[in-house]
Amino acid sequence: MSPIITGLLLAIAIPIFVMTMSGRVGVLLAMKKEGRLDNIPLRIKRLVFFGLGQRRMVDPEEFTPGLMHVLIFAAFLVLQVRTLMMFAMGFSTGALELFTDLSHPFWLENAGLGMLYRVYLLVKDVVAALALVGCGYYVWTRWKVKPDRMSQSWEAYLILGFISGLMVSEFLFGGSHMVAANAAAQVPVGATQVPAAPSALVWWEPFTSLTGLLMMPLGATAAHVLGVAGFWIHLVIVLAFLNFLPIGKHFHIITGLPNVFFQRTHSTGKLSTPNLEKEEFGAATVTDLTWKQGLDLYSCTECGRCQTHCPTYITGKPLTHKAVNQDLKHWLWDHEQWVEEGYGPNHVKEGLPEIVGSALKSETVWACTSCGWCEQACPVFIENVPRLIDMRRYQVQVKADFPPEIQRVFEGIERQGNPWGLGQDRRDEWAEDLALPTWGDDGGPYEYLFFVGCAGSYDDKQKKVSRSLVKIMREAGVSFATLSKQEMCNGDSARRMGNEYLYQTMAKTNVESWNSMGVKAVITQCPHCFNTIKNEYPEFGGEYRVINHTELINELLREKRIKLSAVMNTKLTYHDPCYLGRHNGVYDAPREVLKAIPGLEVVEMQRSKREGFCCGAGGGRMWMEEHIGTRINHNRLNEAALTLKHAEDPTTPFPDAADKKKPGQVGDYKEKGGTGIVAVACPFCSTMLGDAVNDTGREENIKVKDITELVADAMETRGGPAGGVTPGATLSAKPE
């Protein structure tokens, strides 16, 4: 083609790209270091599965748009090779002849390579055509459907135009050569030329040859002009696209795969542990964020999947993780020199502005419930929650700037070992008539430490759950003991509200005490206790087998150590606790337990399992007031009421929870709903949903019960069924 023009294009585009990228990389280098090179085999496996394999793109709630993205992604991968060929053609006539003429002597002499090249051309042709289908789908979606999660912008249409242009220009370029080859083949009889291509479709380039057939009526000259135009348009689009990537949301094309590779390899419920002795008190400025957190910002695709089941977004709170990512990213880009040099405004060596107040508002940082949906939904594994917790840590430990209502929570944990601040000497009152063994008594050793938790010890409603669990464990012959008055809070709420010092104090004290007692296994009835002890205590030397009460009960049922016989003729829907389900993957055990209860009809809410909707209490929000938007627990309870009503009367309208135009509208249901039970497996969820029942006036229709209570009511005991109910009796589901 033209080495001069090709070289000129590269000479202009590459330096601009390098200059832009140097600023982007410089920012990452200025941010805090973090080790992300552990467990390389697992990282490679996840890169292949989630990065190259695009597994999260085709999650059920977004399958069709995800599939369209997979088509476009596949075309990008395959056409990169073709693009390199075209640059080679731009520099070399020999390369042009080689890659466009399959009757070239090289291919004739190397038949195996010739067949391999034909297979590549076939794959290239098919994925390019499918990419055009994907682009058409996205144009239609943005233009007509306008999903709530997608932000309308000119950039999206420009990028779709770029992608479509690459595919069409490739077809025009290839088609023009087929027209030329066909014209050359039309020679007098007896000529020595060998036809390069027939005037019909060829199997190795079906769509390119179809383009060539459509171009034939134009004549060889016009087709040649279109082909040359297609060639240069292709190269120009590639280089323009390359330089546009680092300044827009499609930067993820460059950073997405690395971000997938560097994802954390542990549970999403585990937070990092800062070194307080080195004065790591959280994130004050952007350089207190780690380079991985910076890479997260670069990798945000603005797809909005993080919003579809986000409790703060659905209920009108001042937090969407997409917006947080964009606000922080654009602040970084607008102040690259500040960040790289550590300067403040006017280049005064005063340090960078604090994140809260410059890039984000305080209410945004405190709105998150840490439910984890955003991280579960993100195709490129952006870690949103830890970044916000780091900001809270600074606000609490350095600035003492936090919602005033949580001050009493900190004081209660610090002084009395529980967030209510109730007397430590009252911690075992719930079991004063049960004669429970205390760990360390002469009756040991014990298999399990039953960590009752603060709610299980002090909350009147949760005390019943604690007693029910004791009844079940005693019936099954489980060897357990409690810490009685010596038990203290595990520190979960303190950590997620930013008081890392208080959390570490509690964690270290508990671990030291438990290790000295020889504790090896722990039973919890609170998912927050479960998550903290299982995932976060090991960093302090607390290596225990931790089992949630629903897992324990399911295990006892499987081993036939307990038997459920009382019939519950009622409908029930189960609410997944975020810290049991999404953060730790415990979805099946609670459901298997419920299905084992005779007569119980279990109906699922639309937002369940991995798509479960938060009750609003996580991330320390249990202890904070909710003033903005609608209440999260009301939205969830509304869905539960609608689910029970729909189970009673299928004609009741049941909108799609993931509606493209209005996600979460199942939580807008305002009627009383059907009669039944909302089963929970978390004291926070029990409190929040119980309050929602009272707030919405549904006391006559719905009651909130922990799974443990239901099992205890249905269980036979050595002295007869629990509560004096005879085997096979029917238990009423109507609230008392």
Side-chain angles (χ1 to χ4, degrees):
M1 300 298 279
S2 173
I4 295 176
I5 297 177
T6 306
L8 185 62
L9 289 175
L10 289 172
I12 294 173
I14 298 302
I16 296 175
F17 177 75
V18 171
M19 289 175 59
T20 306
M21 285 299 296
S22 65
R24 304 295 189 248
V25 173
V27 166
L28 296 184
L29 293 176
M31 301 175 91
K32 194 162 62 175
K33 293 179 174 58
E34 180 183 10
R36 290 275 179 155
L37 288 174
D38 59 309
N39 207 336
I40 297 298
L42 177 61
R43 293 186 181 279
I44 293 174
K45 179 180 177 181
R46 291 185 175 181
L47 175 63
V48 172
F49 189 68
F50 293 107
L52 299 176
Q54 298 276 283
R55 175 59 187 85
R56 277 196 173 180
M57 291 305 304
V58 290
D59 280 338
E61 69 276 0
E62 296 289 351
F63 179 80
T64 301
L67 180 60
M68 295 299 110
H69 186 278
V70 170
L71 298 180
I72 294 174
F73 177 75
F76 259 100
L77 293 181
V78 175
L79 260 73
Q80 284 182 22
V81 177
R82 187 62 170 173
T83 298
L84 292 176
M85 291 181 187
M86 293 180 75
F87 273 106
M89 295 178 210
F91 281 111
S92 169
T93 303
L96 176 64
E97 295 174 353
L98 176 66
F99 292 127
T100 59
D101 183 5
L102 283 165
S103 65
H104 190 282
F106 176 82
W107 303 119
L108 297 178
E109 295 169 6
N110 299 274
L113 289 177
M115 179 55 67
L116 184 62
Y117 184 49
R118 283 177 170 83
V119 171
Y120 167 75
L121 291 176
L122 173 63
V123 174
K124 177 269 298 181
D125 239 40
V126 172
V127 298
L130 292 175
L132 286 174
V133 173
C135 289
Y137 170 84
Y138 280 127
V139 169
W140 173 262
T141 300
R142 289 183 171 278
W143 181 37
K144 288 295 185 181
V145 181
K146 297 180 180 178
D148 175 82
R149 67 178 179 83
M150 283 186 178
S151 301
Q152 294 297 318
S153 68
W154 62 267
E155 180 186 340
Y157 292 103
L158 175 64
I159 296 300
L160 290 171
F162 277 166
I163 297 170
S164 300
L166 289 173
M167 308 306 155
V168 171
S169 61
E170 158 61 20
F171 288 147
L172 289 174
F173 176 66
S176 71
H177 282 84
M178 290 191 171
V179 172
N182 186 72
Q186 307 304 314
V187 295
V189 176
T192 56
Q193 272 185 284
V194 179
S199 56
L201 299 181
V202 294
W203 68 265
W204 58 87
E205 283 189 294
F207 296 101
T208 297
S209 56
L210 175 61
T211 305
L213 288 176
L214 295 174
M215 294 169 67
M216 279 182 185
L218 300 176
T221 301
H224 176 72
V225 172
L226 280 177
V228 171
F231 177 86
W232 292 116
I233 288 173
H234 190 96
L235 296 194
V236 169
I237 290 177
V238 166
L239 296 176
F241 203 168
L242 180 68
N243 278 283
F244 191 78
L245 293 180
I247 63 174
K249 68 178 184 178
H250 286 78
F251 198 12
H252 73 272
I253 293 176
I254 296 175
T255 63
L257 291 179
N259 210 55
V260 172
F261 177 80
F262 288 118
Q263 66 178 279
R264 58 187 168 197
T265 56
H266 54 72
S267 164
T268 59
K270 177 183 177 182
L271 295 175
S272 64
T273 300
N275 189 330
L276 299 180
E277 294 182 0
K278 293 184 178 180
E279 298 186 350
E280 295 178 352
F281 296 136
T285 69
V286 291
T287 52
D288 292 321
L289 300 175
T290 70
W291 64 264
K292 173 57 172 66
Q293 292 172 330
L295 190 65
D296 281 343
L297 302 178
Y298 289 176
S299 301
C300 181
T301 70
E302 297 184 45
C303 67
R305 291 183 176 216
C306 55
Q307 296 178 177
T308 55
H309 297 311
C310 173
T312 58
Y313 176 75
I314 295 298
T315 60
K317 307 297 187 292
L319 167 67
T320 70
H321 292 287
K322 181 174 76 171
V324 168
N325 289 334
Q326 299 317 302
D327 290 344
L328 287 173
K329 178 176 72 177
H330 287 293
W331 194 95
L332 285 174
W333 289 358
D334 292 342
H335 304 89
E336 277 187 351
Q337 188 175 2
W338 287 12
V339 177
E340 289 184 67
E341 300 176 1
Y343 290 167
N346 303 316
H347 292 269
V348 177
K349 197 73 173 181
E350 59 185 17
L352 293 166
E354 294 178 359
I355 297 173
V356 178
S358 61
L360 300 177
K361 296 180 180 179
S362 178
E363 54 264 32
T364 298
V365 173
W366 288 102
C368 183
T369 67
S370 73
C371 76
W373 166 251
C374 55
E375 298 182 14
Q376 180 75 56
C378 182
V380 291
F381 291 84
I382 293 173
E383 298 161 19
N384 296 294
V385 174
R387 189 172 58 220
L388 291 176
I389 298 299
D390 275 341
M391 297 176 197
R392 290 182 180 184
R393 285 168 172 166
Y394 176 76
Q395 295 299 112
V396 169
Q397 296 178 119
V398 178
K399 297 201 70 177
D401 183 10
F402 47 82
E405 60 266 26
I406 65 176
Q407 177 63 42
R408 61 179 178 80
V409 178
F410 293 152
E411 292 176 352
I413 296 174
E414 184 176 358
R415 297 173 182 175
Q416 297 292 345
N418 67 85
W420 289 279
L422 298 175
Q424 183 70 18
D425 60 338
R426 297 176 53 192
R427 194 164 190 112
D428 63 348
E429 286 182 357
W430 67 274
E432 57 187 1
D433 61 331
L434 297 179
L436 295 181
T438 301
W439 196 283
D441 287 356
D442 294 338
Y446 304 97
E447 183 178 1
Y448 294 102
L449 168 64
F450 174 27
F451 186 78
V452 183
C454 300
S457 300
Y458 292 103
D459 181 77
D460 287 339
K461 189 173 182 181
Q462 200 64 23
K463 289 177 185 179
K464 299 177 183 178
V465 179
S466 301
R467 296 177 67 88
S468 295
L469 186 54
V470 168
K471 181 183 295 185
I472 293 168
M473 290 193 291
R474 281 183 162 171
E475 176 63 26
V478 176
S479 171
F480 74 94
T482 71
L483 294 174
S484 189
K485 291 182 174 64
Q486 304 307 311
E487 182 181 286
M488 293 196 304
C489 181
N490 67 86
D492 161 81
S493 291
R495 166 168 262 199
R496 279 153 182 81
M497 289 190 293
N499 197 333
E500 182 67 20
Y501 175 81
L502 179 55
Y503 162 73
Q504 290 196 22
T505 299
M506 304 304 293
K508 290 175 182 178
T509 300
N510 283 331
V511 169
E512 182 179 352
S513 174
W514 299 357
N515 287 352
S516 68
M517 296 177 181
V519 173
K520 301 297 181 184
V522 181
I523 294 171
T524 69
Q525 61 177 316
C526 172
H528 298 265
C529 301
F530 171 73
N531 177 76
T532 297
I533 299 170
K534 177 183 177 181
N535 296 319
E536 298 181 336
Y537 272 26
E539 289 199 55
F540 301 94
E543 299 280 354
Y544 315 111
R545 179 192 173 219
V546 186
I547 183 169
N548 174 262
H549 67 311
T550 63
E551 295 176 299
L552 174 67
I553 295 170
N554 193 39
E555 186 178 305
L556 298 177
L557 285 168
R558 286 181 175 180
E559 295 174 356
K560 301 188 184 305
R561 294 169 64 180
I562 58 174
K563 181 179 180 181
L564 308 183
S565 61
V567 180
M568 294 188 178
N569 290 321
T570 187
K571 291 179 174 60
L572 174 148
T573 189
Y574 172 63
H575 165 79
D576 287 280
C578 301
Y579 274 79
L580 185 61
R582 192 172 293 128
H583 286 302
N584 286 285
V586 181
Y587 295 116
D588 295 335
R591 288 171 169 81
E592 289 176 5
V593 170
L594 290 171
K595 290 177 182 177
I597 299 175
L600 199 62
E601 181 183 347
V602 180
V603 291
E604 290 282 4
M605 287 187 265
Q606 284 188 349
R607 297 178 293 188
S608 63
K609 296 186 177 179
R610 63 175 295 278
E611 297 179 62
F613 194 73
C614 182
C615 73
R621 292 294 315 179
M622 172 74 178
W623 315 105
M624 301 181 220
E625 298 297 331
E626 191 174 353
H627 299 294
I628 304 173
T630 59
R631 296 185 67 85
I632 295 172
N633 59 336
H634 289 188
N635 184 287
R636 185 54 162 170
L637 196 275
N638 289 343
E639 180 181 6
L642 176 57
T643 301
L644 294 172
K645 179 63 177 178
H646 185 76
E648 287 182 359
D649 179 11
T651 64
T652 303
F654 205 31
D656 185 358
D659 183 273
K660 303 300 180 187
K661 301 289 288 185
K662 190 180 180 184
Q665 61 179 307
V666 289
D668 295 338
Y669 182 71
K670 296 297 191 296
E671 305 302 322
K672 295 297 183 182
T675 299
I677 298 171
V678 178
V680 296
C682 171
F684 288 5
C685 298
S686 179
T687 297
M688 297 298 284
L689 295 179
D691 288 349
V693 168
N694 296 330
D695 295 343
T696 59
R698 294 186 171 110
E699 301 93 333
E700 295 298 318
N701 299 74
I702 297 174
K703 60 180 177 179
V704 178
K705 284 275 193 177
D706 191 281
I707 289 175
T708 309
E709 297 177 276
L710 297 171
V711 171
D713 286 344
M715 183 182 68
E716 291 186 22
T717 61
R718 294 182 184 88
V725 181
T726 57
T730 299
L731 298 182
S732 171
K734 191 171 181 62
E736 297 176 359

